[in-house]
Amino acid sequence: MVNASANNKSNTFRLDGKKIMTSTATVTTLQSNDLNSENSFSHPKNVAPEESSVDVKRNTINFISLPYSFSVIKLKM
């Protein structure tokens, strides 16, 4: 999921026809409020992946993506 805007975005994913094996999904996100942020030797984790989770209810994921972010959602099916 990519959010290229300066605002949070609400997203709903329906996984119809799939058997979901878990009630939570793992989310890995890269995000910075400064579009010019970059890693360097002095600041190697300026933009680093952050782990979180999101609930899966009735084969639906309601996910809010942060501004200027790239997120990967993983779950067992």
Side-chain angles (χ1 to χ4, degrees):
M1 168 49 89
V2 174
N3 181 0
S5 77
N7 302 307
N8 287 346
K9 295 292 180 183
S10 179
N11 306 281
T12 300
F13 300 98
R14 297 225 4 110
L15 306 166
D16 292 333
K18 302 294 181 185
K19 184 175 180 182
I20 308 302
M21 306 297 288
T22 183
S23 62
T24 59
T26 302
V27 182
T28 304
T29 302
L30 286 174
Q31 189 270 341
S32 178
N33 289 324
D34 179 3
L35 290 178
N36 295 313
S37 290
E38 57 186 29
N39 293 346
S40 65
F41 287 112
S42 59
H43 299 286
K45 294 186 179 182
N46 201 23
V47 181
E50 293 188 18
E51 297 286 325
S52 63
S53 62
V54 64
D55 292 332
V56 180
K57 295 180 182 173
R58 296 186 192 140
N59 286 8
T60 302
I61 297 173
N62 291 310
F63 177 70
I64 297 179
S65 54
L66 299 172
Y68 306 124
S69 66
F70 171 78
S71 300
V72 176
I73 301 171
K74 298 180 195 174
L75 62 128
K76 292 189 182 212
M77 299 178 84

